[in-house]
Amino acid sequence: LAGDGEKILSRIASENHLAIRDHKGDKDGAFSGIIACEDGRWVHTVDEKTNDIDSLVLFLERIPADRWLDLIVKRDFPKDEAIGRGEQIATDIGKIFTALLPVYEAASGISPGV
């Protein structure tokens, strides 16, 4: 999330209704619940309680070094909606991967479009 990565990710997460979570969650993970971007701000929700996060980068940096962090960027929707989308869902997923490309570029130091 270096450079403009967090700003780009917040825009993409908001536009595509994406959330971030730690794959290991409550058991062995770094944090539980989900983090989503709402109206340009990060919101951490655990057990239906929400807290604003000033910076996703700072939130992640505050995690103790001995905690494993396995981030997942995801979008949840009902199973029947996914099935009803048929093959179109593959196009939707592809669009999200394409939208996320600038985040990976910013994080890796690759110039956009290279």
Side-chain angles (χ1 to χ4, degrees):
L1 297 175
D4 289 335
E6 180 173 354
K7 185 170 110 178
I8 296 166
L9 181 58
S10 69
R11 178 182 52 78
I12 294 165
S14 182
E15 289 172 356
N16 293 282
H17 311 287
L18 302 176
I20 298 168
R21 73 177 184 90
D22 182 358
H23 178 66
K24 293 190 181 268
D26 296 333
K27 288 187 174 185
D28 301 316
F31 69 90
S32 57
I34 62 166
I35 299 172
C37 190
E38 299 176 4
D39 300 323
R41 72 188 200 295
W42 292 108
V43 178
H44 183 204
T45 303
V46 180
D47 298 327
E48 299 182 23
K49 296 176 186 168
T50 62
N51 292 303
D52 284 355
I53 297 174
D54 293 331
S55 165
L56 182 60
V57 170
L58 293 177
F59 176 86
L60 297 175
E61 285 179 350
R62 289 185 192 119
I63 295 170
D66 65 340
R67 302 299 299 203
W68 181 261
L69 179 60
D70 189 3
L71 288 181
I72 294 175
V73 177
K74 67 179 196 120
R75 179 175 175 187
D76 290 330
F77 46 90
K79 179 180 176 181
D80 37 333
E81 180 183 331
I83 292 170
R85 304 268 320 168
E87 292 178 9
Q88 180 62 38
I89 199 149
T91 301
D92 296 343
I93 292 168
K95 287 179 182 177
I96 291 173
F97 281 132
T98 301
L100 286 169
L101 190 55
V103 176
Y104 296 112
E105 290 173 337
S108 65
I110 296 172
S111 298
V114 173

